[in-house]
Amino acid sequence: MDEMKEPRWKEAEFEEIEYKPTSIKELLVEMKNISELMVYLAYSAILFNNSDIAEEVRYLEVHIEKLNYQMRIMAMLAARTKEDAEKLSGILQMAEAAKMISGAAGDIVKLLSVKLKHPLLPRLLKESDEMIRKMVVEGESPAVGRSLPELHVASETGVRIVALRRGKRWMYNPKNITLEKGDVAIGVGPEEGLEHLDKFLKGKIRVLE
């Protein structure tokens, strides 16, 4: 019997952290963007009982941990005087705050393992005009090699692509990114529009209209 494959976030935990010289500002902006996205995804995972989205939250939680580690290394290398250390301490506090937010989002999705029976959740689902979905661009899709504005995704489906993952790299508000096979899109919009877009990205239908 084949062993079950470890979830992506679990595999990421054991990956060696590779130090990559970058600016502290870039690291801080990325941590801010990821922590904001995680809160959005975490609540969506619970409301829509979506373990696929919860998986992304757990993966991003590990990613934030690694970014925070890089931030500390960068700060230590940059601090040459007491004044430098004082200035960098505030930046490290902001990075730690982003890490705490990501940890809270990770705690939220753990609720999926608990059988919640509360009348509030079905009512929220029923009244919600928007849902969130994780979609993968397949090689057969007409979307490959084209950008979101070129495809008129928002106007044709009512769906907003709030983030795009390519490999391990996340892109936020990816308006002018040319889609590639294997890209993972996080879409927000009406259920019907999400279903239609998902089929298009998989290559099951050829046009969005």
Side-chain angles (χ1 to χ4, degrees), residues 111-166:
L111 289 172
L112 281 178
S113 62
V114 181
K115 298 298 181 182
L116 295 175
K117 292 184 179 180
H118 196 289
L120 175 63
L121 291 180
R123 188 166 74 249
L124 285 173
L125 282 171
K126 187 176 180 180
E127 294 176 359
S128 176
D129 293 327
E130 290 191 329
M131 299 185 70
I132 188 166
R133 187 163 183 167
K134 171 182 167 184
M135 299 165 283
V136 180
V137 180
E138 304 289 350
E140 299 77 17
S141 173
V144 174
R146 301 168 72 186
S147 68
L148 297 174
E150 186 182 351
L151 293 167
H152 306 290
V153 169
S155 60
E156 294 293 344
T157 66
V159 174
R160 306 188 315 277
I161 302 299
V162 296
L164 193 73
R165 174 166 60 79
R166 181 168 294 165

Side-chain angles (χ1 to χ4, degrees), residues 35-47:
S35 61
E36 286 179 353
L37 177 64
M38 285 179 69
V39 172
Y40 193 28
L41 294 179
Y43 278 107
S44 298
I46 292 297
L47 286 175

Side-chain angles (χ1 to χ4, degrees), residues 8 12 26 29-31 33-38 40-41 52-64 67 132-135 161-174 177 182-187:
R8 200 166 69 94
E26 287 177 356
V29 168
E30 185 173 3
M31 291 183 74
N33 287 337
I34 291 176
S35 61
E36 286 179 353
L37 177 64
M38 285 179 69
Y40 193 28
L41 294 179
D52 205 24
I53 294 174
E55 172 84 3
E56 289 297 327
V57 173
R58 300 296 298 274
Y59 176 79
L60 288 172
E61 185 179 8
V62 175
H63 188 47
I64 281 277
L67 289 175
I132 188 166
R133 187 163 183 167
K134 171 182 167 184
M135 299 165 283
I161 302 299
V162 296
L164 193 73
R165 174 166 60 79
R166 181 168 294 165
K168 296 180 181 179
R169 180 189 170 206
W170 279 89
M171 294 166 277
Y172 307 95
N173 296 317
I177 303 297
D183 284 350
V184 177
I186 302 295

